Amino acid sequence: MAGAAVEPKGREWRAGSQVLALLGVPLNGLIVGALAKGPMSHAELHRELGNPAQTTLRGHLSKLESLGAVRRTPTVRHSLFAAYELSVAGQDLLVATRALEVWLGKSPQGPIPLGSEPAKGAVKALAGAWESMTMRALAGGPLSLTQLDSLIGSLSYPALERRLSAMRAAGLAAASKGRGRDGIPYVVTPWARQGIGPIASAAHFERQHMDLDTPRMAPIDVEAAFLLATPIVPLPLAASGVCDLIAETRDGSRRLSGVEVAVDRGKVVSCIARVGESPSNWVLGAAATWLGAVVHRRLEGLRIGGDRHLGCSLVYGLHELLYA
């Protein structure tokens, strides 16, 4: 079931960013989490959520209903006596909500409760960094603000400076040691890298339930996700070798994008944005299949060539890093 877009079409979205923005509004995630316990009347839900303003609660429930995530069964002709519950789509949105909770719980500044103002700020910073491709740029290595400005043409220098400041305040970016010719270089933090967890879960929901209203994973999105998360995946000590992680995307025509990963005794020693012409070891699948594999730890639909142990270890390692 395709739902309505959760924000105006005016801004430039990337895969996952619409659902991430939805869950960045504190009450939405809290509603989904509360209804995970079972159906509730409007009055019960109102009490469960700490008695928010009635008009605010009705507005958020209406948005979740339009998305197909919440369904209402009126018992009489009054919304206060309706029973609300999660639909099948709502259960999938719960997966994305839980992924966001897991990520917020790993904040370097201490666990952040879902629905809090700090959570709202962290999610906004993550979404802004993802949409603007600032995370993709920094995934390649330390960059100064001047260098970022030369790479990201979609934002003005002041707008980019605001995005980077928000990332630093939230703990998603930090100044690197030393000062280069173009100014202080910045790097993404391990917590920012793990932000691919809620982003991937959000993109997975969009493909399942908002396919007509949201952008698909573009090659640059695939590269960004792999470059950010793969370097810090936990792997078994027996894992060694070079493996390509490849996603098929359709951007007018079929395209392959991904990374070449070198592993030495359980540690990733390099992760480069390129796909070899004939790699010895590889994992290949459609972008949507990759989302399901990482989010749900399933290999169905992925094709694995060469060292199967190495390929499976990387897929399972991505899931463990992002969702354990």
Side-chain angles (χ1 to χ4, degrees):
M1 172 181 175
V6 297
E7 291 289 344
K9 293 281 189 178
R11 67 192 285 182
E12 182 178 349
W13 296 101
R14 305 211 71 82
S17 57
Q18 289 199 46
V19 168
L20 197 62
L22 176 80
L23 295 177
V25 177
L27 195 55
N28 287 330
L30 294 178
I31 290 172
V32 174
L35 292 180
K37 301 175 183 178
M40 293 185 183
S41 69
H42 185 102
E44 291 171 332
L45 187 58
H46 185 250
R47 288 194 299 271
E48 178 74 18
L49 296 173
N51 303 313
Q54 292 283 6
T55 54
T56 301
L57 179 56
R58 281 195 292 270
H60 285 71
L61 283 169
S62 177
K63 178 168 285 188
L64 291 169
E65 281 188 85
S66 70
L67 191 62
V70 169
R71 58 186 172 214
R72 176 176 51 169
T73 308
T75 52
V76 295
R77 290 186 178 181
H78 198 293
S79 63
L80 292 179
F81 296 94
Y84 293 91
E85 62 182 351
L86 294 180
S87 63
V88 173
Q91 294 292 339
D92 290 333
L93 187 59
L94 178 63
V95 173
T97 304
R98 297 298 189 221
L100 189 58
E101 279 190 298
V102 168
W103 179 69
L104 290 169
K106 296 177 180 178
S107 166
Q109 300 168 358
I112 302 174
L114 181 69
S116 65
E117 282 301 310
K120 181 179 178 180
V123 175
K124 183 178 180 180
L126 178 66
W130 177 249
E131 290 170 12
S132 66
M133 299 311 298
T134 307
M135 286 179 67
R136 167 61 184 93
L138 291 175
L143 293 172
S144 69
L145 185 57
T146 300
Q147 291 170 324
L148 283 170
D149 183 51
S150 68
L151 290 173
I152 302 174
S154 59
L155 291 178
S156 66
Y157 188 94
L160 185 58
E161 187 174 28
R162 288 193 297 271
R163 294 291 174 95
L164 185 59
S165 295
M167 290 179 68
R168 294 183 65 194
L172 301 175
S176 181
K177 293 181 179 179
R179 183 182 180 91
R181 183 177 56 186
D182 297 313
I184 300 172
Y186 296 93
V187 296
V188 285
T189 64
W191 190 48
R193 293 180 180 276
Q194 292 176 76
I196 293 301
I199 290 170
S201 295
H204 188 47
F205 179 89
E206 290 178 358
R207 293 284 58 75
Q208 291 177 302
H209 304 289
M210 301 172 67
D211 193 45
L212 300 179
D213 299 301
T214 56
R216 294 175 176 271
M217 292 285 285
I220 197 167
D221 298 326
V222 172
E223 282 186 6
F226 280 140
L227 283 173
L228 287 161
T230 310
I232 58 173
V233 295
L235 296 169
L237 286 174
S240 288
V242 178
C243 183
D244 282 17
L245 306 181
I246 311 167
E248 296 175 302
T249 57
R250 294 191 178 275
D251 189 8
S253 60
R254 177 176 175 270
R255 296 180 61 183
L256 299 179
S257 56
V259 292
E260 180 185 271
V261 187
V263 180
D264 182 28
R265 290 169 289 183
K267 291 188 177 182
V268 174
V269 294
S270 71
C271 181
I272 305 169
R274 72 181 178 201
V275 174
E277 292 186 6
S278 54
S280 299
N281 308 304
W282 46 268
V283 184
L284 171 66
T289 303
W290 265 106
L291 289 172
V294 173
V295 173
H296 295 294
R297 200 180 184 271
R298 61 187 183 211
L299 297 177
E300 293 85 355
L302 291 178
R303 287 165 279 171
I304 303 176
D307 186 344
R308 186 174 180 84
H309 176 263
L310 178 59
C312 291
S313 295
L314 285 164
V315 177
Y316 292 150
L318 284 166
H319 173 83
E320 183 178 345
L321 169 73
L322 302 175
Y323 304 107

